[in-house]
């Protein structure tokens, strides 16, 4: 796009939000507040503004699920309490349940983590789409039907940005970008492991 001003989203703010969550996860006997979690996840909303309209359906899906979690926060203060309420109401796997949306949002965080790892491992001028498509296939591929996979691969095919161009749009140099990306990779790994544990410890499974 012809955007000249850097976007008002900082890689650092995303990384810091997930580091804050990781600290809570690593603190014994502490619970993750739903509001803090949904707020951290909402820091990715701006990334869709640099992507093609081909990703509008992904944006709509991700934004509505994160907003659904945010709406749960006044009635259930922690992620665990939110999941417990869905278990009691026998609606864990129901379309639109908070717990189901949490599992989908977790996959979004995971996809971005794999994309970040791929970014750190490859040249900055290599296409963003290769890394993004690889991350999508690894994390979402097994869970999406052919129609969504086809739409996603069409979307990635139209994604012509290089990683260096993406960094520039967010006013990052390759050096500063990589610091924040590394920080997100390790913090999100902690948060994702906690979410997997939350589901598995309650025998909910994570592959649905
Ligand atoms: C450079 C970054 C590129 C990000 C682009 C991501 C493209 C992914 C394309 C996938 C679109 C999926 C559209 C909707 C799928 C829904 O059917 C499922 C199941 O929903 P349910 O039946 O439970 O209501 N939704 C999902 O699997 C969640 C999809 C979220 C996709 C967002 C990923 C990007 C996340 C970024 C921020 C962490």
């Amino acid at each position: 796009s012809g955007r000249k001003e850097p976007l008002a989203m900082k890689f650092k703010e995303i990384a810091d939000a997930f580091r804050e969550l990781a600290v809570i996860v690593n603190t014994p006997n502490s619970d993750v507040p739903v509001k803090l979690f949904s707020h951290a996840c909402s820091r990715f909303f701006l990334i869709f503004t640099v992507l093609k309209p081909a990703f509008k359906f992904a944006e709509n899906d991700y934004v509505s699920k994160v907003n659904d979690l945010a709406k749960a926060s006044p009635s259930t203060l922690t992620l665990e309490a939110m999941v417990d309420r869905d278990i009691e109401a026998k609606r864990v796997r129901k379309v639109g349940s908070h717990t189901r949306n949490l599992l989908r949002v977790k996959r979004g965080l995971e996809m971005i983590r794999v994309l970040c790892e791929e970014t750190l491992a490859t040249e900055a001028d290599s296409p963003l789409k290769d890394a993004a498509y690889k991350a999508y296939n690894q994390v979402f591929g097994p869970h999406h039907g052919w129609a969504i996979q086809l739409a996603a691969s069409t979307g990635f095919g139209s994604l012509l940005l290089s990683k260096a161009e993406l960094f520039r749009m967010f006013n990052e140099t390759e050096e500063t970008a990589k610091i924040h990306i590394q920080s997100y990779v390790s913090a999100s790994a902690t948060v994702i492991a906690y979410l997997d544990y939350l589901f598995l410890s309650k025998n909910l499974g994570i592959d649905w």
Side-chain angles (χ1 to χ4, degrees):
S1 77
R3 192 182 281 279
K4 293 286 185 307
E5 293 297 314
L7 286 156
M9 179 189 89
K10 292 280 171 285
F11 281 15
K12 182 180 190 302
E13 288 168 6
I14 298 177
D16 287 352
F18 284 91
R19 276 168 52 179
E20 191 182 356
L21 287 174
V23 167
I24 295 173
V25 166
N26 284 329
T27 305
N29 303 318
S30 64
D31 287 313
V32 180
V34 178
K35 195 161 222 138
L36 201 68
F37 178 78
S38 64
H39 195 244
C41 295
S42 69
R43 292 184 180 271
F44 283 108
F45 290 175
L46 263 169
I47 206 147
F48 289 103
T49 61
V50 305
L51 299 176
K52 291 270 175 240
F55 288 105
K56 199 73 203 167
F57 70 118
E59 175 179 10
N60 291 342
D61 195 75
Y62 180 75
V63 170
S64 70
K65 286 172 167 60
V66 172
N67 286 343
D68 171 73
L69 299 180
K71 272 186 290 168
S73 57
S75 55
T76 52
L77 288 176
T78 70
L79 289 178
E80 185 175 15
M82 186 184 82
V83 169
D84 283 340
R85 274 177 53 141
D86 282 343
I87 293 171
E88 278 162 38
K90 299 191 188 335
R91 63 179 175 224
V92 167
R93 295 197 183 200
K94 264 189 81 181
V95 176
S97 87
H98 298 314
T99 303
R100 179 173 170 131
N101 288 340
L102 177 61
L103 184 61
R104 275 58 177 151
V105 168
K106 184 210 74 156
R107 285 186 193 134
L109 302 179
E110 237 174 331
M111 183 194 149
I112 299 298
R113 191 196 68 203
V114 174
L115 173 58
C116 285
E117 286 169 344
E118 200 59 27
T119 297
L120 293 173
T122 53
E123 297 297 320
D125 60 359
S126 65
L128 180 63
K129 72 173 164 194
D130 292 358
Y133 194 44
K134 181 173 176 179
Y136 169 80
N137 276 331
Q138 188 176 319
V139 175
F140 281 114
H143 304 286
H144 286 168
W146 66 268
I148 290 177
Q149 290 195 41
L150 185 63
S153 85
T154 306
F156 291 120
S158 70
L159 194 59
L160 300 175
L161 283 180
S162 70
K163 289 177 291 186
E165 285 169 323
L166 181 76
F167 296 164
R168 231 172 291 133
M169 282 180 177
F170 290 102
N171 207 21
E172 303 283 352
T173 65
E174 192 178 339
E175 255 186 353
T176 60
K178 286 192 166 176
I179 290 167
H180 304 316
I181 287 171
Q182 181 58 60
S183 172
Y184 173 76
V185 166
S186 52
S188 68
T190 301
V191 174
I192 290 162
Y194 166 75
L195 292 169
D196 284 341
Y197 170 79
L198 180 61
F199 277 77
L200 294 173
S201 65
K202 295 177 188 293
N203 293 314
L204 301 179
I206 50 172
D207 291 321
W208 49 278

